[in-house]
Each structure stands twice: as structure tokens, then as C-alpha cells.
Amino acid sequence: MSNNNILQYESKIWNTADLLRGSGIKESEWPSFMMPFFALAMIESRLIRMLDEMKAEYGEDTLMDMDKEDFISLIKDKGQGYNVYIFEHDKTLKDICANDKSFEIDFDAYLHGFDGETKDLLGVDATEGDKFLDIKGVITKLKAKKVLLGYTKEWSEIDLKPFNNSEITTLEEHIKRKWADISAETAGEQYTPDDVIGLIAEIIASKVQESDKLLKIYDCTCGGGNLLFGVEDRISQKVKRLTQTFGQDWNDALYALAKIESRFRVDSKVEHGNTLTDDKFYNEEFDVVVANPPYGVSWKGYQKDILNDKTDRFKFIPSISDGQLLFMQHLISKLDATGMGVVVHNGSTLFSGDAGSAESNIRKWMLDTDIVEAIIQLPTDEFFNTGIYTYLWVLNKNKDADRKDKVMLINASEKFKPLKKSKGSKRKEVDEQSRLEIVATLTRFADNGYARVFDKEYFYFNKQAIMVTNVDENGKSYAEQLEEGKKSQKLKPVELENGKRTLSDFEITLFDPEQFESLADYFENDIKPFMASLDYKQPLVVSTKKAHYRFDNDKETLIKTENGQSEELGCGKIVVKAALKNSNRTQPERIEITVELTPDYQKDYEIIPFHKDKAKNWQVIEDFMAKYITKPFEYLENVVGVEINFNKVFYKPEKLRPVGDILADIAKLDEQIKALEEGLTL
């Protein structure tokens, strides 16, 4: 049975929403009504198919003659679920819907006839706080709308028995995509399209060798399982290798769907919970990891758990507003010694955070450990509810020798085929030909028109801090006026004047009691605002008993005027501070104002290319400084950052038109304007 045939059921399934629409149920709520019934259809079809397979294997007569307890044990041993109506009464949901009068009683008995785990996943006896698919709550609402029988009948007509696991997964992928498209309950969750799953699977399959060894595949944010199981099915089609899948998700409904799906696979384990705080596979390592973690979603709600994590998964803690790089570090920790993976992220993982930030340090750690083999930029308008660029990070702990310490960037932004009909924001797909071309490029690992290979250090850069000493127009700094070891010169002023207000002799303890309640009130509401308004580059004059000091903006120098003679002291600052002092034995409560003359120091940062050889890297820094920094400076700390910039690598300047062509166009426009003007004057 082909996937095309099963996709005919997509529209039939969505037709069940007509009853919901007619009942006044909002479109955004449809997924919560459809999920449990879709799961019900999946479970029933697979249980019936399992029974048919057992009849073919053992013979129908043999099964009928088998002791009831032995028959039940035989079915339960398969671990795919059980239902009393299906296996003991040979009845299906369609049979139950045929009798209107007893429907509600029979339907309730049918649901309670499932095994315990299935009932939990469906939410047959759900209580507040433990719902999963919450079919109980949905049934209550449908009863209130008086459409329970009609709605259930619609679903009972959907026969998925003829289709295998892979085909049902394909249908499930399309249905869940629509759910994500109309509900989008969680910000940042991007449902992985089938074509992207195909590309991820092709990349992995190109690196998987045929052998008898079990291939363990893991998705730490598996959602409903479409990426995890889709990759498994495609790998199984291409490579002779036994596979085992592991997944975890903390969305109740999507976890339940993935868990139900996992039971009908040969060897699959799906767990419920927050991967970042409660890793259900803490003692496992995997051959392959895949994931499409949420973009730009805050992890503030479990910040304490992350900061107190004892697993050593998180080498650095990124911004609390985005947990993508937490998931990335977790996935790397789950790889075995030769493991590889493909992880979907948005662009922030490439460049967010300055040198020294956690984000930059995580990228540096990944490149330092040489686990990144390639990064692939996908087209825009590829996902269902966002038009942004997305990126595939190809991780590999077992790189070929010629790929050691190298990273390939593949700009696949033009490798797509337009969709005939948009699906939400999705207007493009990476078609099969493009997928194969991308994988072939990765396999060759050589430059071409849309891919380049770099030494990993290409993405490193120096963020060199320096302390610059500003100088005046004559190249002079106030630092030259200071005695050796001194950082400033303190003044004893008798007057401060900023062009608007003057403070003389600092007799400011004599505040106006009608305007201010206390000296502290005066300090907070008058003196502090006055001080905040002072700027050494404004017309600020400090007068001592002997001289006046000011800053000349035009010459960028401090001026000292004494006995009518002015002297240029060099570029510097006038620093004025005020403090409220408590009374002591010798002095009353007072406001003290201090004034200092200091050199004009300015901390600056220079972004400089990086060289992996320490001596050569230092030479690069010194050469840069000699070329671009003309003022005196001192070296401060150096931090090495990592940023990956596709625009920089693949930028293509727009080709300019020849000047002659432009002039010719202008001449034509002039002629057209003249003709119009002549027409207006006639």
C-alpha cells in the first residue's frame, strides 16, 4: 500500500471537524478533540491487524480452540495493547456505533476494555493534572453538544488496517502538522516537515554502515514522534541495520501519541518528562541523535534545576530566554564514542552572544572538541508556522581523518521546489533531487558553488580589550602632568559653576527648610540631580583659591588659568562627586563634594581575526593595533569568541549595471517626460 493512498485519508479525517464547527467549537480547539480519536483509530486498526497476523501465523481454528487465558497472554506478550471488545467479542468501534440506543454504554465499556497503559494514554479515567489525550474530557464536551455519537461514527469509518507502521506514521505526520498549524499552543515549537525529515534521514543513512550491530536512535524532544520514527523508517529502507528508537517529550498529548506509536514498533522506548531536568535515559548513549528543539523558548520555569544540574551535561548556561543550546549540549552528552547526529535550530545558535558569553563559549567548546562536521542552511518558508531560515547542525564524533578540525558550510537556501499550494507559512520543500544533491556535497566534503570547507579556527575571533588614553589636538594627555604612581590630582575648590548654577564655598549645609525636610532630602532631590547633570565637556568651571580649571571642547584639553595666564594641561576629565556624611565628634552632618583631575581613559574592544598558533595570533593582534590604533593604549584581557556567519561566507554583491545603460535609460525617461509635458500644454 503506497503512502499516496493513505494520504487520501487526510481529508477524510479533517472532515470530522465539520461536526465540531457546526457545534460552535473554535478551530483552535479542534486538535484537542481530534487527537484522542485519531489515537483510537490508530490503536484499533493496529490491534485488528495484529489479530489478523496471528490468525495467519497460528491458524484461526487454533486460536479459537486456545484456552482463553493462553490467548489473552499471547496477545499481551506482544506489548502492543489489548481490548476486550476487539479480542474477546470480535467487535470494533464501527460495530458499537451501529446501535444508537446502547451506544453510550457500549462506548464506555469499549474504552474501559483497553489495557491499563492504553487507558492512561487516552485519558479514559483522567483526573485533573493527569490527562494525556483526555478523551474523557472530550467525550463530556461532545455529550454536552449532543454530537458524541455522530462524531464517533465519523471516526469509526476511518479504516487504517491495510496500512503498515511507516504508512500510518506518514499520515500521522500530515495530521499533526495541521494540528500544529492551527493551534500553535507553545511558542517556538516548529513541527518538522516531511521533506526535512527526509533530508535528515538521508544524511544519517549516508554515514551508517550495514552491520549486525543495533543502531540506537534518540530524540530528546520527540513530540508526537514524527521526526524520530520518520528517520527510523527511512534508514531501514536504505540500510540493512536493526534499529531501536528512544524518545522523550513533556507535552502530554504529543507524548501519548508517540508512546502509542512506539508500542507498534519492534523495539522503541518513549518516556514522558522534561529532558533537561529529568533525563529518562540518563544511563544510555546512542549511535544517532536527532531533534528539533523549540526555538527562543524561556527555561525560567525550571532555572533552579538547570543551575543545580549534577550530570555535567551543561558546560555553559545560555541566556534564560532561549534553551536551544541547552538541548544541544544534552544531545552531545548522549552520543557514544562514534555517535553522530543532526539537530534543527534557528539562526540564533550560530551568532547570538558576544565573545565570552555562554552562547559563544558553547560554540567554541563544540568546535574545540571537533564534533561539528557541517552546518546546512535550509530555505526560508520551509516550516509550517515560521518563514525564518533554519539550520541543520551535523554532529559527528567519528570524523574521517581528512575532516578533522574542519567544518563545512552548505548554503542550501536555494535548494527547493515551490509548493503548488502553501501550507501555512510553508511555501517551499527540499525536494528529493535537492536532498540527494546536498548529501552528495556533504559526502564529497569539497568546495563548490554553494558549499565551502573551513578550518574550524576560521570561525574564531579575538575580542581584545584595550585601555585607550585620549589625547588633545597636540597629542598630549593629562597623564603627563601626574607624578609617577599617581592616577589623579585632587583639587580643593571654592566654587563650581556649570553655566546654570553655582555652588560657592560648598556652604550647602544651609539648605532651605521650607523646601527640604532634611539635609538628606536636600542631597537626594537637589544635589544628586545637580551632580548627575555635570559633564566635564560642558561649560564646567572649577575654582580654587589660586586657579580656575575647565575643559576646552575645541582643543580637547584641560585648561588651567592662574593670574590671567592659561595653560593647556592635556586631554583629561574633571570628576566631581558628592556624598552625604553623617555627623561625628568633630564635624556635623554634611555634604562633601570632591573634585579630581584625571587622564581621559577609555576602555575599548577590537575584533581581530584569530590564528590557532599562539605566537602568530599575538602577532596578528599587534599588527592590527599598529595599523588601526593611533592613541596610546594598554592591553587588557583577550577573549576568544566563535561566530558562524553564512551571510559573510556566501555574500554575493549585486552586479552593477554599466553606466552607459543607466544613462540611456535616463535619456529615455527624459524624452517621455518631455512628451507628457507637451501633451499637457496643448
Side-chain angles (χ1 to χ4, degrees):
M1 193 68 68
S2 71
N3 287 343
N4 287 333
N5 285 337
I6 196 170
L7 290 183
Q8 295 174 7
Y9 278 86
E10 182 180 353
S11 59
K12 189 175 181 65
I13 287 172
W14 276 94
N15 286 341
T16 64
D18 290 341
L19 272 172
L20 302 177
R21 183 188 291 109
S23 301
I25 296 170
K26 295 178 182 178
E27 183 177 356
S28 61
E29 297 179 43
W30 291 356
S32 64
F33 282 83
M34 298 174 72
M35 281 185 188
F37 279 85
F38 181 66
L40 203 58
M42 287 170 52
I43 294 168
E44 182 180 272
S45 67
R46 283 171 158 148
L47 292 181
I48 293 172
R49 191 174 74 226
M50 179 178 70
L51 182 59
D52 291 342
E53 290 171 353
M54 290 174 62
K55 289 176 180 178
E57 181 180 356
Y58 296 100
E60 189 169 351
D61 292 338
T62 302
L63 289 179
M64 290 180 64
D65 294 338
M66 188 178 293
D67 180 77
K68 182 179 178 180
E69 290 187 4
D70 292 339
F71 174 68
I72 293 172
S73 296
L74 184 65
I75 293 171
K76 289 185 175 181
D77 285 346
K78 290 183 174 291
Q80 296 183 354
Y82 188 83
N83 183 275
V84 172
Y85 268 68
I86 294 172
F87 294 115
E88 298 182 32
H89 303 306
D90 198 24
K91 285 189 175 183
T92 64
L93 192 60
K94 190 173 184 178
D95 297 324
I96 291 169
C97 291
N99 190 336
D100 296 4
K101 293 181 180 179
S102 63
F103 165 72
E104 289 193 11
I105 295 173
D106 291 343
F107 187 37
D108 185 68
Y110 169 83
L111 292 175
H112 282 89
F114 280 108
D115 59 283
E117 183 180 64
T118 301
K119 286 191 289 186
D120 288 342
L121 294 171
L122 288 173
V124 173
D125 296 312
T127 57
E128 197 65 35
D130 183 21
K131 292 186 176 182
F132 293 119
L133 288 167
D134 193 25
I135 198 168
K136 180 181 178 181
V138 169
I139 288 172
T140 300
K141 294 174 184 177
L142 291 172
K143 279 183 181 179
K145 298 285 186 180
K146 301 187 183 304
V147 293
L148 176 60
L149 175 58
Y151 189 67
T152 308
K153 271 186 177 179
E154 290 284 343
W155 283 98
S156 71
E157 297 293 331
I158 295 168
D159 182 12
L160 302 179
K161 292 192 296 296
F163 304 100
N164 62 34
N165 286 349
S166 180
E167 290 164 341
I168 291 177
T169 299
T170 300
L171 174 63
E172 188 179 357
E173 183 262 332
H174 283 260
I175 298 304
K176 286 188 292 190
R177 190 275 301 170
K178 280 200 175 184
W179 289 339
D181 198 22
I182 68 170
S183 62
E185 292 178 354
T186 305
E189 289 190 355
Q190 309 300 335
Y191 187 83
T192 313
D194 190 54
D195 54 313
V196 175
I197 295 173
L199 175 57
I200 292 172
E202 291 283 359
I203 293 170
I204 295 168
S206 71
K207 298 178 177 299
V208 172
Q209 303 294 321
E210 293 189 356
S211 76
D212 296 332
K213 183 185 174 186
L214 184 67
L215 187 74
K216 297 167 67 176
I217 308 170
Y218 172 62
D219 184 347
C220 67
T221 54
C222 70
N226 67 304
L227 174 58
L228 177 63
F229 300 134
V231 165
E232 179 186 36
D233 291 339
R234 288 167 173 82
I235 289 176
S236 297
Q237 291 169 6
K238 290 181 170 292
V239 183
K240 291 181 180 178
R241 188 84 177 259
L242 293 175
T243 58
Q244 183 179 17
T245 49
F246 300 77
Q248 182 169 340
D249 204 271
W250 71 338
N251 178 292
D252 285 1
L254 293 179
Y255 155 73
L257 288 172
K259 182 66 174 180
I260 289 168
E261 170 69 25
S262 73
R263 298 189 313 180
F264 296 95
R265 292 179 173 266
V266 175
D267 197 356
S268 182
K269 298 178 180 179
V270 174
E271 298 289 347
H272 182 251
N274 185 340
T275 298
L276 297 178
T277 60
D278 184 18
D279 177 15
K280 300 295 185 180
F281 304 107
Y282 65 91
N283 59 345
E284 294 275 5
E285 290 184 337
F286 304 99
D287 303 288
V288 174
V289 299
V290 294
N292 181 11
Y295 310 156
V297 175
S298 170
W299 46 275
K300 186 175 183 180
Y302 42 94
Q303 179 181 10
K304 184 177 179 181
D305 294 315
I306 296 295
L307 297 178
N308 293 328
D309 183 78
K310 306 299 182 186
T311 64
D312 293 328
R313 291 176 291 172
F314 308 124
K315 309 302 178 186
F316 302 94
I317 305 298
S319 167
I320 200 168
S321 63
D322 191 351
Q324 287 182 88
L325 288 172
L326 287 175
F327 286 108
M328 178 74 95
Q329 293 177 90
H330 167 77
L331 286 164
I332 292 172
S333 76
K334 304 303 288 184
L335 286 171
D336 64 19
T338 58
M340 63 90 58
V342 181
V343 188
V344 187
H345 286 298
N346 70 6
S348 70
T349 54
L350 300 174
F351 49 73
S352 64
D354 198 359
S357 69
E359 289 81 2
S360 177
N361 287 338
I362 292 168
R363 290 189 290 270
K364 186 174 183 297
W365 167 71
M366 292 172 66
L367 295 188
D368 283 348
T369 55
D370 198 27
I371 197 170
V372 181
E373 181 168 308
I375 304 173
I376 303 169
Q377 179 175 266
L378 298 178
T380 57
D381 305 316
E382 171 58 55
F383 283 73
F384 298 111
N385 53 357
T386 180
I388 63 174
Y389 280 116
T390 49
Y391 299 83
L392 302 183
W393 288 70
V394 181
L395 310 175
N396 193 348
K397 292 183 76 174
N398 190 32
K399 286 185 180 181
D400 293 340
D402 61 345
R403 302 187 182 197
K404 296 290 185 184
D405 296 319
K406 296 183 182 298
V407 177
M408 176 178 241
L409 298 191
I410 301 177
N411 178 18
S413 60
E414 300 300 321
K415 302 297 180 183
F416 67 87
K417 183 171 71 175
L419 292 177
K420 292 180 180 178
K421 184 179 179 181
S422 297
K423 299 177 179 179
S425 296
K426 183 174 175 63
R427 299 177 176 85
K428 305 169 184 175
E429 67 173 357
V430 184
D431 56 298
E432 183 177 7
Q433 181 180 344
S434 296
R435 294 198 295 268
L436 295 175
E437 185 180 342
I438 293 167
V439 174
T441 295
L442 178 60
T443 301
R444 285 193 295 270
F445 211 72
D447 291 359
N448 63 23
Y450 62 92
R452 289 185 62 188
V453 176
F454 297 92
D455 290 335
K456 66 185 184 184
E457 288 83 11
Y458 174 84
F459 305 105
Y460 293 41
F461 63 90
N462 293 291
K463 184 180 180 183
Q464 179 64 55
I466 57 174
M467 186 64 76
V468 177
T469 303
N470 288 321
V471 295
D472 63 16
E473 63 180 8
N474 298 314
K476 186 177 179 181
S477 166
Y478 183 70
E480 299 168 23
Q481 302 288 328
L482 296 174
E483 296 178 11
E484 187 174 350
K486 293 271 189 177
K487 294 184 177 181
S488 66
Q489 178 185 344
K490 293 183 179 180
L491 300 179
K492 294 182 178 180
V494 295
E495 184 177 78
L496 288 178
E497 184 176 354
N498 71 343
K500 297 178 182 178
R501 179 174 174 183
T502 301
L503 295 180
S504 300
D505 294 322
F506 303 118
E507 293 176 353
I508 54 177
T509 55
L510 302 176
F511 62 91
D512 184 353
E514 292 183 2
Q515 185 177 0
F516 299 102
E517 295 180 357
S518 65
L519 190 63
D521 184 32
Y522 179 56
F523 177 72
E524 287 294 328
N525 295 292
D526 187 87
I527 297 302
K528 283 180 71 174
F530 172 70
M531 292 298 166
S533 71
L534 296 179
D535 184 337
Y536 75 96
K537 289 191 175 182
Q538 290 179 354
L540 173 65
V541 178
V542 180
S543 299
T544 66
K545 290 181 178 180
K546 292 184 177 181
H548 305 285
Y549 298 85
R550 64 183 176 85
F551 184 83
D552 188 312
N553 270 307
D554 295 331
K555 296 182 177 182
E556 294 188 325
T557 190
L558 290 171
I559 303 291
K560 176 183 178 182
T561 302
E562 186 176 4
N563 298 325
Q565 298 293 317
S566 294
E567 177 187 1
E568 296 180 5
L569 302 179
C571 188
K573 291 182 177 182
I574 302 173
V575 181
V576 182
K577 296 179 182 179
L580 179 64
K581 297 290 185 178
N582 294 326
S583 61
N584 55 35
R585 291 181 180 179
T586 60
Q587 292 178 300
E589 184 184 35
R590 65 206 180 279
I591 296 172
E592 287 188 358
I593 295 179
T594 60
V595 179
E596 290 181 289
L597 302 182
T598 71
D600 187 1
Y601 295 120
Q602 179 183 346
K603 191 172 185 179
D604 198 7
Y605 297 91
E606 302 297 335
I607 303 302
I608 305 171
F610 177 84
H611 197 289
K612 61 184 177 181
D613 180 83
K614 190 173 182 179
K616 289 182 179 178
N617 189 55
W618 180 246
Q619 188 62 53
V620 168
I621 293 172
E622 288 193 319
D623 291 346
F624 180 95
M625 295 299 177
K627 184 175 182 180
Y628 295 106
I629 308 300
T630 58
K631 297 177 181 179
F633 71 91
E634 292 181 9
Y635 285 105
L636 301 177
E637 70 275 5
N638 176 276
V639 179
V640 177
V642 169
E643 178 181 276
I644 299 164
N645 190 329
F646 270 76
N647 290 334
K648 175 183 174 182
V649 172
F650 296 105
Y651 173 72
K652 292 182 180 179
E654 185 178 351
K655 189 176 181 181
L656 299 177
R657 296 173 61 202
V659 175
D661 292 350
I662 296 172
L663 292 174
D665 287 346
I666 293 172
K668 287 180 182 179
L669 288 171
D670 283 341
E671 291 176 5
Q672 292 172 5
I673 291 170
K674 287 177 182 178
L676 289 170
E677 288 175 344
E678 289 174 1
L680 290 171
T681 57
L682 292 177

